[in-house]
Amino acid sequence: MRWFVSGQEKEEKTPFKMIDLVKEREELIKKHLAGASGIEIVNGYTQVVDKFIKEQWERLIPKTVVDEVAIIAIGGYGRKEMSFYSDADLLILHVEKPSAILKDAIVHFVQSLWDNKLKLDHSFRTIEECLQIAKSDFFAFMAMLTPRFLGGNHALFDQLIQKLNKYLIIPHRQQILKNIWERREKRHQHYNQHAYLLEPHIKEGSGGLRDIHTLRWATIVAFGQEELPVFSPKEKEQLAEALDFLWRVRNHLHYLSKRENDELSFVYQEKIAHFLGFKDSPRIKAVENFMRAFFTHTFEVKHITRLFFNYIWEEQKSSFFFYQRKILAPGIDLCDGQIRVDNKEVFLKQPALLIKVYTWAANLDASFSFNTQILLSKAVEELKGYLSEDIGVRDAFLEFLNTQKDILPFLEDMTYQGLFCAIFPEWHNILHLPQHNLYHIYTVDLHAFHTVEEVKRLRQGKYKDKYPIFTKVAQTCDDLDTLLLAALFHDFGKGIGPPHEETGANETEKILKRWRFPQKICENIIWLIRHHLLLSHIAQRRDIGEEKIIIDTAQIVG
């Protein structure tokens, strides 16, 4: 078996002019500043580095020893993803017993690359050494999955590919895929810490470039190719747009930092927003519009990656015939921990099932099959004009909101599928909307989801030791729907305009009337949204020991 990667063509024997690497990079920076796409720049700089390395190779490696060695671009350089200050990952692959002439020539070759200001990360190894390092070093192995032949003995390059397949990929495919996924999950856990949510890491963060690399690695290991085999034109377009956007951001971050840098810190966010042409809108700053685009792309990449791995796991399993099935509803069953839907018509006939499947998934600790996720997305697209006024959908959503299990990942999946915005079209106002300050770490929509979960955790007694009074109040509340809906919509106005507690209350009132809630419940929810900042303002801006303040606050609260 052999996987197909770009750049495995034979080396062209055309002469190269001596080039100035720094000058060529400066020319590419000019193109970048003039508006060139991300892919144009990273491919362009890769070509510059290719030309430079080949030039030095031709000049410094004697023809008599060329058959002893192959130079191979690996890692980000192999993928043709060179930003202005990226390392050039270079594998110098040699025969078991290289001659003294070759060793001496390689020393001069590497030194020449450094002397000419190329930031180099190189290794000098045999095929057997490559296999051994691949077994012990995950990222070294992944780097070798996307190689490009640059010069020397092409047969050595071919042998490396063949032996990686024969001794590592084919016999250990499932374990490698499991390792790729587990490392993604661990990386997400690390980069979902508060600091990285405010100042995301373009490469390693959730939905960043590394997630796209993960897709590529998994595709090579699972299917022996680089072309994703399962996605619709929509997902492929989302990935392409996200990749180019992330590259443009990364290229400009390198330019501003004058070094390799993947941390999108506050000091650079406004500058990059301005460069990319984002403007202030009546209610949203330019930098918030930029970060909103950033979070939209990374959110999509994150969920596409999960969807793809779901497909891979199903492909690796035996037939579902051998697993016990549990019927959840006509056309919907639970099999091996996955909810499976027979066809799209199941949802089209009963739109409330679009919500009920999420309730079942939460309560049964289940996931959706790959096909179910595809069918769900298609059904939402067809029904999105009707869901916002469907009373059956309303009741199913309230049931889902009230489940005792953690629903945060399902709320995120509803968002990706377009279901949440189909139920609440007004949600588009706050979708992926960041808050450019140090007090809110989540986008407005995720902040709302977390607030719902925190209310439920409080009611479940998770904070009884730390907040005993709040816990008791939450547990004695006899109208959980009111509390949860107020939590969900409390910051709704941030996508409309100030004061957000007032505009949010007005917008929420429209939804509640559309859903035909009783007048008293509507009034309570609106009151909570309109006054959700009251106690915070009193505590931070007033003298809470003053009698009048206490009386006035008590009268408002009632």
mmCIF file with all atom_site columns, all heavy atoms in Angstrom, residues 318-337:
data_model
loop_
_atom_site.group_PDB
_atom_site.id
_atom_site.type_symbol
_atom_site.label_atom_id
_atom_site.label_alt_id
_atom_site.label_comp_id
_atom_site.label_asym_id
_atom_site.label_entity_id
_atom_site.label_seq_id
_atom_site.pdbx_PDB_ins_code
_atom_site.Cartn_x
_atom_site.Cartn_y
_atom_site.Cartn_z
_atom_site.occupancy
_atom_site.B_iso_or_equiv
_atom_site.pdbx_formal_charge
_atom_site.auth_seq_id
_atom_site.auth_comp_id
_atom_site.auth_asym_id
_atom_site.auth_atom_id
_atom_site.pdbx_PDB_model_num
ATOM 1   N N   . SER A 1 318 ? -16.947 -3.677  13.433 1.00 0.00 ? 318 SER A N   1
ATOM 2   C CA  . SER A 1 318 ? -17.616 -4.756  12.708 1.00 0.00 ? 318 SER A CA  1
ATOM 3   C C   . SER A 1 318 ? -19.040 -4.322  12.404 1.00 0.00 ? 318 SER A C   1
ATOM 4   O O   . SER A 1 318 ? -19.495 -3.266  12.814 1.00 0.00 ? 318 SER A O   1
ATOM 5   C CB  . SER A 1 318 ? -17.620 -6.024  13.556 1.00 0.00 ? 318 SER A CB  1
ATOM 6   O OG  . SER A 1 318 ? -16.304 -6.389  13.929 1.00 0.00 ? 318 SER A OG  1
ATOM 7   N N   . SER A 1 319 ? -19.768 -5.157  11.730 1.00 0.00 ? 319 SER A N   1
ATOM 8   C CA  . SER A 1 319 ? -21.154 -4.855  11.367 1.00 0.00 ? 319 SER A CA  1
ATOM 9   C C   . SER A 1 319 ? -22.001 -4.609  12.606 1.00 0.00 ? 319 SER A C   1
ATOM 10  O O   . SER A 1 319 ? -21.853 -5.263  13.633 1.00 0.00 ? 319 SER A O   1
ATOM 11  C CB  . SER A 1 319 ? -21.749 -6.016  10.577 1.00 0.00 ? 319 SER A CB  1
ATOM 12  O OG  . SER A 1 319 ? -23.139 -5.843  10.423 1.00 0.00 ? 319 SER A OG  1
ATOM 13  N N   . PHE A 1 320 ? -22.906 -3.649  12.498 1.00 0.00 ? 320 PHE A N   1
ATOM 14  C CA  . PHE A 1 320 ? -23.809 -3.362  13.603 1.00 0.00 ? 320 PHE A CA  1
ATOM 15  C C   . PHE A 1 320 ? -24.769 -4.530  13.868 1.00 0.00 ? 320 PHE A C   1
ATOM 16  O O   . PHE A 1 320 ? -25.449 -4.549  14.876 1.00 0.00 ? 320 PHE A O   1
ATOM 17  C CB  . PHE A 1 320 ? -24.625 -2.092  13.298 1.00 0.00 ? 320 PHE A CB  1
ATOM 18  C CG  . PHE A 1 320 ? -23.857 -0.832  13.545 1.00 0.00 ? 320 PHE A CG  1
ATOM 19  C CD1 . PHE A 1 320 ? -23.387 -0.069  12.482 1.00 0.00 ? 320 PHE A CD1 1
ATOM 20  C CD2 . PHE A 1 320 ? -23.601 -0.400  14.829 1.00 0.00 ? 320 PHE A CD2 1
ATOM 21  C CE1 . PHE A 1 320 ? -22.675 1.084   12.702 1.00 0.00 ? 320 PHE A CE1 1
ATOM 22  C CE2 . PHE A 1 320 ? -22.904 0.768   15.062 1.00 0.00 ? 320 PHE A CE2 1
ATOM 23  C CZ  . PHE A 1 320 ? -22.432 1.513   13.999 1.00 0.00 ? 320 PHE A CZ  1
ATOM 24  N N   . PHE A 1 321 ? -24.810 -5.486  12.952 1.00 0.00 ? 321 PHE A N   1
ATOM 25  C CA  . PHE A 1 321 ? -25.718 -6.609  13.100 1.00 0.00 ? 321 PHE A CA  1
ATOM 26  C C   . PHE A 1 321 ? -25.483 -7.365  14.406 1.00 0.00 ? 321 PHE A C   1
ATOM 27  O O   . PHE A 1 321 ? -26.395 -7.969  14.971 1.00 0.00 ? 321 PHE A O   1
ATOM 28  C CB  . PHE A 1 321 ? -25.539 -7.548  11.898 1.00 0.00 ? 321 PHE A CB  1
ATOM 29  C CG  . PHE A 1 321 ? -26.388 -8.786  11.965 1.00 0.00 ? 321 PHE A CG  1
ATOM 30  C CD1 . PHE A 1 321 ? -27.724 -8.746  11.586 1.00 0.00 ? 321 PHE A CD1 1
ATOM 31  C CD2 . PHE A 1 321 ? -25.857 -9.993  12.406 1.00 0.00 ? 321 PHE A CD2 1
ATOM 32  C CE1 . PHE A 1 321 ? -28.508 -9.886  11.643 1.00 0.00 ? 321 PHE A CE1 1
ATOM 33  C CE2 . PHE A 1 321 ? -26.643 -11.133 12.458 1.00 0.00 ? 321 PHE A CE2 1
ATOM 34  C CZ  . PHE A 1 321 ? -27.965 -11.088 12.072 1.00 0.00 ? 321 PHE A CZ  1
ATOM 35  N N   . PHE A 1 322 ? -24.247 -7.355  14.891 1.00 0.00 ? 322 PHE A N   1
ATOM 36  C CA  . PHE A 1 322 ? -23.895 -8.139  16.061 1.00 0.00 ? 322 PHE A CA  1
ATOM 37  C C   . PHE A 1 322 ? -24.181 -7.414  17.370 1.00 0.00 ? 322 PHE A C   1
ATOM 38  O O   . PHE A 1 322 ? -23.972 -7.969  18.435 1.00 0.00 ? 322 PHE A O   1
ATOM 39  C CB  . PHE A 1 322 ? -22.413 -8.521  15.992 1.00 0.00 ? 322 PHE A CB  1
ATOM 40  C CG  . PHE A 1 322 ? -22.077 -9.351  14.786 1.00 0.00 ? 322 PHE A CG  1
ATOM 41  C CD1 . PHE A 1 322 ? -21.431 -8.780  13.700 1.00 0.00 ? 322 PHE A CD1 1
ATOM 42  C CD2 . PHE A 1 322 ? -22.427 -10.692 14.721 1.00 0.00 ? 322 PHE A CD2 1
ATOM 43  C CE1 . PHE A 1 322 ? -21.124 -9.544  12.578 1.00 0.00 ? 322 PHE A CE1 1
ATOM 44  C CE2 . PHE A 1 322 ? -22.123 -11.457 13.607 1.00 0.00 ? 322 PHE A CE2 1
ATOM 45  C CZ  . PHE A 1 322 ? -21.468 -10.882 12.534 1.00 0.00 ? 322 PHE A CZ  1
ATOM 46  N N   . TYR A 1 323 ? -24.627 -6.160  17.323 1.00 0.00 ? 323 TYR A N   1
ATOM 47  C CA  . TYR A 1 323 ? -24.893 -5.402  18.529 1.00 0.00 ? 323 TYR A CA  1
ATOM 48  C C   . TYR A 1 323 ? -26.390 -5.375  18.835 1.00 0.00 ? 323 TYR A C   1
ATOM 49  O O   . TYR A 1 323 ? -27.222 -5.300  17.938 1.00 0.00 ? 323 TYR A O   1
ATOM 50  C CB  . TYR A 1 323 ? -24.379 -3.962  18.382 1.00 0.00 ? 323 TYR A CB  1
ATOM 51  C CG  . TYR A 1 323 ? -22.880 -3.865  18.245 1.00 0.00 ? 323 TYR A CG  1
ATOM 52  C CD1 . TYR A 1 323 ? -22.301 -3.617  16.992 1.00 0.00 ? 323 TYR A CD1 1
ATOM 53  C CD2 . TYR A 1 323 ? -22.044 -4.019  19.344 1.00 0.00 ? 323 TYR A CD2 1
ATOM 54  C CE1 . TYR A 1 323 ? -20.918 -3.529  16.859 1.00 0.00 ? 323 TYR A CE1 1
ATOM 55  C CE2 . TYR A 1 323 ? -20.666 -3.938  19.211 1.00 0.00 ? 323 TYR A CE2 1
ATOM 56  C CZ  . TYR A 1 323 ? -20.118 -3.692  17.966 1.00 0.00 ? 323 TYR A CZ  1
ATOM 57  O OH  . TYR A 1 323 ? -18.756 -3.609  17.837 1.00 0.00 ? 323 TYR A OH  1
ATOM 58  N N   . GLN A 1 324 ? -26.701 -5.429  20.121 1.00 0.00 ? 324 GLN A N   1
ATOM 59  C CA  . GLN A 1 324 ? -28.094 -5.368  20.540 1.00 0.00 ? 324 GLN A CA  1
ATOM 60  C C   . GLN A 1 324 ? -28.661 -3.980  20.265 1.00 0.00 ? 324 GLN A C   1
ATOM 61  O O   . GLN A 1 324 ? -28.005 -2.971  20.497 1.00 0.00 ? 324 GLN A O   1
ATOM 62  C CB  . GLN A 1 324 ? -28.193 -5.684  22.043 1.00 0.00 ? 324 GLN A CB  1
ATOM 63  C CG  . GLN A 1 324 ? -29.622 -5.774  22.545 1.00 0.00 ? 324 GLN A CG  1
ATOM 64  C CD  . GLN A 1 324 ? -29.675 -6.190  24.003 1.00 0.00 ? 324 GLN A CD  1
ATOM 65  O OE1 . GLN A 1 324 ? -28.648 -6.390  24.633 1.00 0.00 ? 324 GLN A OE1 1
ATOM 66  N NE2 . GLN A 1 324 ? -30.873 -6.318  24.535 1.00 0.00 ? 324 GLN A NE2 1
ATOM 67  N N   . ARG A 1 325 ? -29.900 -3.934  19.783 1.00 0.00 ? 325 ARG A N   1
ATOM 68  C CA  . ARG A 1 325 ? -30.536 -2.669  19.442 1.00 0.00 ? 325 ARG A CA  1
ATOM 69  C C   . ARG A 1 325 ? -31.658 -2.362  20.425 1.00 0.00 ? 325 ARG A C   1
ATOM 70  O O   . ARG A 1 325 ? -32.351 -3.259  20.893 1.00 0.00 ? 325 ARG A O   1
ATOM 71  C CB  . ARG A 1 325 ? -31.120 -2.707  18.032 1.00 0.00 ? 325 ARG A CB  1
ATOM 72  C CG  . ARG A 1 325 ? -30.088 -2.908  16.939 1.00 0.00 ? 325 ARG A CG  1
ATOM 73  C CD  . ARG A 1 325 ? -30.773 -3.274  15.627 1.00 0.00 ? 325 ARG A CD  1
ATOM 74  N NE  . ARG A 1 325 ? -29.795 -3.552  14.588 1.00 0.00 ? 325 ARG A NE  1
ATOM 75  C CZ  . ARG A 1 325 ? -29.438 -2.686  13.651 1.00 0.00 ? 325 ARG A CZ  1
ATOM 76  N NH1 . ARG A 1 325 ? -29.979 -1.482  13.631 1.00 0.00 ? 325 ARG A NH1 1
ATOM 77  N NH2 . ARG A 1 325 ? -28.545 -3.006  12.736 1.00 0.00 ? 325 ARG A NH2 1
ATOM 78  N N   . LYS A 1 326 ? -31.833 -1.078  20.703 1.00 0.00 ? 326 LYS A N   1
ATOM 79  C CA  . LYS A 1 326 ? -32.944 -0.630  21.526 1.00 0.00 ? 326 LYS A CA  1
ATOM 80  C C   . LYS A 1 326 ? -33.725 0.405   20.722 1.00 0.00 ? 326 LYS A C   1
ATOM 81  O O   . LYS A 1 326 ? -33.167 1.416   20.286 1.00 0.00 ? 326 LYS A O   1
ATOM 82  C CB  . LYS A 1 326 ? -32.445 -0.010  22.834 1.00 0.00 ? 326 LYS A CB  1
ATOM 83  C CG  . LYS A 1 326 ? -33.552 0.555   23.718 1.00 0.00 ? 326 LYS A CG  1
ATOM 84  C CD  . LYS A 1 326 ? -32.968 1.195   24.975 1.00 0.00 ? 326 LYS A CD  1
ATOM 85  C CE  . LYS A 1 326 ? -34.075 1.786   25.837 1.00 0.00 ? 326 LYS A CE  1
ATOM 86  N NZ  . LYS A 1 326 ? -33.525 2.439   27.063 1.00 0.00 ? 326 LYS A NZ  1
ATOM 87  N N   . ILE A 1 327 ? -35.000 0.159   20.518 1.00 0.00 ? 327 ILE A N   1
ATOM 88  C CA  . ILE A 1 327 ? -35.840 1.072   19.737 1.00 0.00 ? 327 ILE A CA  1
ATOM 89  C C   . ILE A 1 327 ? -36.202 2.272   20.614 1.00 0.00 ? 327 ILE A C   1
ATOM 90  O O   . ILE A 1 327 ? -36.765 2.122   21.698 1.00 0.00 ? 327 ILE A O   1
ATOM 91  C CB  . ILE A 1 327 ? -37.116 0.374   19.242 1.00 0.00 ? 327 ILE A CB  1
ATOM 92  C CG1 . ILE A 1 327 ? -36.769 -0.882  18.435 1.00 0.00 ? 327 ILE A CG1 1
ATOM 93  C CG2 . ILE A 1 327 ? -37.948 1.343   18.400 1.00 0.00 ? 327 ILE A CG2 1
ATOM 94  C CD1 . ILE A 1 327 ? -35.932 -0.616  17.218 1.00 0.00 ? 327 ILE A CD1 1
ATOM 95  N N   . LEU A 1 328 ? -35.872 3.486   20.156 1.00 0.00 ? 328 LEU A N   1
ATOM 96  C CA  . LEU A 1 328 ? -36.209 4.710   20.880 1.00 0.00 ? 328 LEU A CA  1
ATOM 97  C C   . LEU A 1 328 ? -37.489 5.340   20.347 1.00 0.00 ? 328 LEU A C   1
ATOM 98  O O   . LEU A 1 328 ? -38.251 5.961   21.102 1.00 0.00 ? 328 LEU A O   1
ATOM 99  C CB  . LEU A 1 328 ? -35.055 5.719   20.772 1.00 0.00 ? 328 LEU A CB  1
ATOM 100 C CG  . LEU A 1 328 ? -33.702 5.250   21.327 1.00 0.00 ? 328 LEU A CG  1
ATOM 101 C CD1 . LEU A 1 328 ? -32.628 6.316   21.069 1.00 0.00 ? 328 LEU A CD1 1
ATOM 102 C CD2 . LEU A 1 328 ? -33.790 4.942   22.808 1.00 0.00 ? 328 LEU A CD2 1
ATOM 103 N N   . ALA A 1 329 ? -37.703 5.189   19.062 1.00 0.00 ? 329 ALA A N   1
ATOM 104 C CA  . ALA A 1 329 ? -38.906 5.702   18.392 1.00 0.00 ? 329 ALA A CA  1
ATOM 105 C C   . ALA A 1 329 ? -38.929 5.047   17.009 1.00 0.00 ? 329 ALA A C   1
ATOM 106 O O   . ALA A 1 329 ? -37.910 4.502   16.565 1.00 0.00 ? 329 ALA A O   1
ATOM 107 C CB  . ALA A 1 329 ? -38.861 7.223   18.272 1.00 0.00 ? 329 ALA A CB  1
ATOM 108 N N   . PRO A 1 330 ? -40.072 5.051   16.317 1.00 0.00 ? 330 PRO A N   1
ATOM 109 C CA  . PRO A 1 330 ? -40.094 4.478   14.967 1.00 0.00 ? 330 PRO A CA  1
ATOM 110 C C   . PRO A 1 330 ? -39.014 5.113   14.079 1.00 0.00 ? 330 PRO A C   1
ATOM 111 O O   . PRO A 1 330 ? -38.979 6.325   13.894 1.00 0.00 ? 330 PRO A O   1
ATOM 112 C CB  . PRO A 1 330 ? -41.501 4.815   14.461 1.00 0.00 ? 330 PRO A CB  1
ATOM 113 C CG  . PRO A 1 330 ? -42.321 4.905   15.714 1.00 0.00 ? 330 PRO A CG  1
ATOM 114 C CD  . PRO A 1 330 ? -41.411 5.516   16.744 1.00 0.00 ? 330 PRO A CD  1
ATOM 115 N N   . GLY A 1 331 ? -38.099 4.276   13.580 1.00 0.00 ? 331 GLY A N   1
ATOM 116 C CA  . GLY A 1 331 ? -37.031 4.773   12.720 1.00 0.00 ? 331 GLY A CA  1
ATOM 117 C C   . GLY A 1 331 ? -35.799 5.249   13.469 1.00 0.00 ? 331 GLY A C   1
ATOM 118 O O   . GLY A 1 331 ? -34.831 5.704   12.847 1.00 0.00 ? 331 GLY A O   1
ATOM 119 N N   . ILE A 1 332 ? -35.797 5.145   14.797 1.00 0.00 ? 332 ILE A N   1
ATOM 120 C CA  . ILE A 1 332 ? -34.647 5.589   15.603 1.00 0.00 ? 332 ILE A CA  1
ATOM 121 C C   . ILE A 1 332 ? -34.312 4.497   16.605 1.00 0.00 ? 332 ILE A C   1
ATOM 122 O O   . ILE A 1 332 ? -35.193 4.032   17.349 1.00 0.00 ? 332 ILE A O   1
ATOM 123 C CB  . ILE A 1 332 ? -34.943 6.901   16.354 1.00 0.00 ? 332 ILE A CB  1
ATOM 124 C CG1 . ILE A 1 332 ? -35.388 7.998   15.394 1.00 0.00 ? 332 ILE A CG1 1
ATOM 125 C CG2 . ILE A 1 332 ? -33.722 7.355   17.138 1.00 0.00 ? 332 ILE A CG2 1
ATOM 126 C CD1 . ILE A 1 332 ? -35.771 9.306   16.077 1.00 0.00 ? 332 ILE A CD1 1
ATOM 127 N N   . ASP A 1 333 ? -33.039 4.076   16.634 1.00 0.00 ? 333 ASP A N   1
ATOM 128 C CA  . ASP A 1 333 ? -32.647 3.070   17.622 1.00 0.00 ? 333 ASP A CA  1
ATOM 129 C C   . ASP A 1 333 ? -31.284 3.402   18.226 1.00 0.00 ? 333 ASP A C   1
ATOM 130 O O   . ASP A 1 333 ? -30.550 4.253   17.716 1.00 0.00 ? 333 ASP A O   1
ATOM 131 C CB  . ASP A 1 333 ? -32.643 1.667   17.016 1.00 0.00 ? 333 ASP A CB  1
ATOM 132 C CG  . ASP A 1 333 ? -31.677 1.505   15.853 1.00 0.00 ? 333 ASP A CG  1
ATOM 133 O OD1 . ASP A 1 333 ? -30.505 1.882   15.997 1.00 0.00 ? 333 ASP A OD1 1
ATOM 134 O OD2 . ASP A 1 333 ? -32.101 1.002   14.793 1.00 0.00 ? 333 ASP A OD2 1
ATOM 135 N N   . LEU A 1 334 ? -30.992 2.716   19.317 1.00 0.00 ? 334 LEU A N   1
ATOM 136 C CA  . LEU A 1 334 ? -29.705 2.835   20.013 1.00 0.00 ? 334 LEU A CA  1
ATOM 137 C C   . LEU A 1 334 ? -28.949 1.546   19.771 1.00 0.00 ? 334 LEU A C   1
ATOM 138 O O   . LEU A 1 334 ? -29.453 0.457   20.060 1.00 0.00 ? 334 LEU A O   1
ATOM 139 C CB  . LEU A 1 334 ? -29.922 3.060   21.507 1.00 0.00 ? 334 LEU A CB  1
ATOM 140 C CG  . LEU A 1 334 ? -28.655 3.146   22.379 1.00 0.00 ? 334 LEU A CG  1
ATOM 141 C CD1 . LEU A 1 334 ? -27.879 4.418   22.063 1.00 0.00 ? 334 LEU A CD1 1
ATOM 142 C CD2 . LEU A 1 334 ? -29.022 3.100   23.860 1.00 0.00 ? 334 LEU A CD2 1
ATOM 143 N N   . CYS A 1 335 ? -27.730 1.649   19.244 1.00 0.00 ? 335 CYS A N   1
ATOM 144 C CA  . CYS A 1 335 ? -26.941 0.469   18.912 1.00 0.00 ? 335 CYS A CA  1
ATOM 145 C C   . CYS A 1 335 ? -25.479 0.741   19.240 1.00 0.00 ? 335 CYS A C   1
ATOM 146 O O   . CYS A 1 335 ? -24.879 1.675   18.687 1.00 0.00 ? 335 CYS A O   1
ATOM 147 C CB  . CYS A 1 335 ? -27.113 0.128   17.435 1.00 0.00 ? 335 CYS A CB  1
ATOM 148 S SG  . CYS A 1 335 ? -26.205 -1.327  16.902 1.00 0.00 ? 335 CYS A SG  1
ATOM 149 N N   . ASP A 1 336 ? -24.923 -0.047  20.146 1.00 0.00 ? 336 ASP A N   1
ATOM 150 C CA  . ASP A 1 336 ? -23.514 0.095   20.527 1.00 0.00 ? 336 ASP A CA  1
ATOM 151 C C   . ASP A 1 336 ? -23.181 1.516   20.954 1.00 0.00 ? 336 ASP A C   1
ATOM 152 O O   . ASP A 1 336 ? -22.162 2.084   20.568 1.00 0.00 ? 336 ASP A O   1
ATOM 153 C CB  . ASP A 1 336 ? -22.610 -0.336  19.368 1.00 0.00 ? 336 ASP A CB  1
ATOM 154 C CG  . ASP A 1 336 ? -21.142 -0.420  19.780 1.00 0.00 ? 336 ASP A CG  1
ATOM 155 O OD1 . ASP A 1 336 ? -20.861 -0.784  20.944 1.00 0.00 ? 336 ASP A OD1 1
ATOM 156 O OD2 . ASP A 1 336 ? -20.275 -0.081  18.942 1.00 0.00 ? 336 ASP A OD2 1
ATOM 157 N N   . GLY A 1 337 ? -24.063 2.122   21.745 1.00 0.00 ? 337 GLY A N   1
ATOM 158 C CA  . GLY A 1 337 ? -23.808 3.460   22.274 1.00 0.00 ? 337 GLY A CA  1
ATOM 159 C C   . GLY A 1 337 ? -24.037 4.586   21.284 1.00 0.00 ? 337 GLY A C   1
ATOM 160 O O   . GLY A 1 337 ? -23.710 5.735   21.577 1.00 0.00 ? 337 GLY A O   1
#
